[in-house]
Amino acid sequence: MSSASTNDEGPVSVNIDGDGDLDDAVIVALGCNDKGVWSSCREALEAALARFRSEGIDVVARSSWWTSQAWPDPNDPSFLNGVVIVRTAHDPHALMAALGRIEEAFGRQRSTQNAPRTLDLDLIAYGRESGDCNGLILPHPRAADRLFVMGPLAEIAPEWKHPGGGKASVLAKTTTVGLDARPLGD
């Protein structure tokens, strides 16, 4: 994979292997709607990204931050979401464990489903892995339906193809969840 620098100002597009082939892309989605000890969800997400490297995860591209109402209960605090493409030597299970350690360090509590959270890290895709990988379903089974995932992904890798079919740029237009999601204006 080739690398690209991250940028706090907005998305950085990526050309994973130099000729536009995104088949090896490892994609992680980030979300926060409980700032916890941080001054804002944005600060929490930036701090989480900074922690990736210590877990053997290098960010090669990142989207801008997107905001959306909480789902399924819009009365919960709004979410801030983004997507990154990473490079790592971890296999999918080791990567999930590393992401779990980062969530735990940020105070993630798993109380009830869809409860507000200080940090939510989801493995969206691991290359072309597809199906049940020893208890880990890849790609993420609901990612293609979520604008707060496909929108940010389409910013940085519009040509990425979901293993189940469809490019990120097309899937972002056909999502059914989080339709109010939009890039955060600075």
Side-chain angles (χ1 to χ4, degrees):
M1 288 187 209
S2 67
S3 64
S5 62
T6 60
N7 181 339
D8 290 343
E9 303 297 315
V12 174
S13 62
V14 66
N15 192 3
I16 295 296
D17 67 4
D19 59 10
D21 184 6
L22 292 164
D23 284 349
D24 293 332
V26 177
I27 302 166
V28 176
L30 301 91
C32 173
N33 73 332
D34 175 356
K35 64 184 177 81
V37 301
W38 306 97
S39 66
S40 67
C41 283
R42 184 179 192 147
E43 184 179 287
L45 292 172
E46 292 290 345
L49 283 176
R51 178 84 181 249
F52 275 35
R53 181 159 286 219
S54 68
E55 289 287 348
I57 307 165
D58 293 320
V59 175
V60 297
R62 60 179 281 184
S63 70
S64 60
W65 298 121
W66 284 52
T67 185
S68 64
Q69 289 183 341
W71 184 90
D73 186 353
N75 294 317
D76 282 340
S78 293
F79 264 93
L80 197 59
N81 294 95
V83 170
V84 293
I85 297 176
V86 302
R87 179 178 40 226
T88 185
H90 295 311
D91 66 33
H93 288 278
L95 179 56
M96 283 297 298
L99 295 175
R101 285 189 298 274
I102 296 168
E103 285 181 337
E104 187 177 306
F106 279 69
R108 171 73 188 264
Q109 300 293 317
R110 297 187 183 276
S111 55
T112 60
Q113 186 174 10
N114 298 315
R117 41 207 173 270
T118 54
L119 184 61
D120 187 17
L121 301 174
D122 289 325
L123 178 57
I124 302 303
Y126 192 95
R128 303 312 293 163
E129 295 282 335
S130 186
D132 187 335
C133 304
N134 296 318
L136 176 60
I137 307 299
L138 290 170
H140 187 288
R142 294 171 301 282
D145 293 329
R146 297 173 172 177
L147 182 55
F148 51 84
V149 174
M150 288 295 117
L153 181 55
E155 278 184 353
I156 58 174
E159 298 299 312
W160 176 80
K161 292 180 186 145
H162 190 285
K167 292 180 182 179
S169 59
V170 174
L171 292 171
K173 296 175 184 170
T174 61
T175 58
T176 58
V177 176
L179 298 180
D180 67 311
R182 66 188 186 289
L184 184 66
D186 289 327

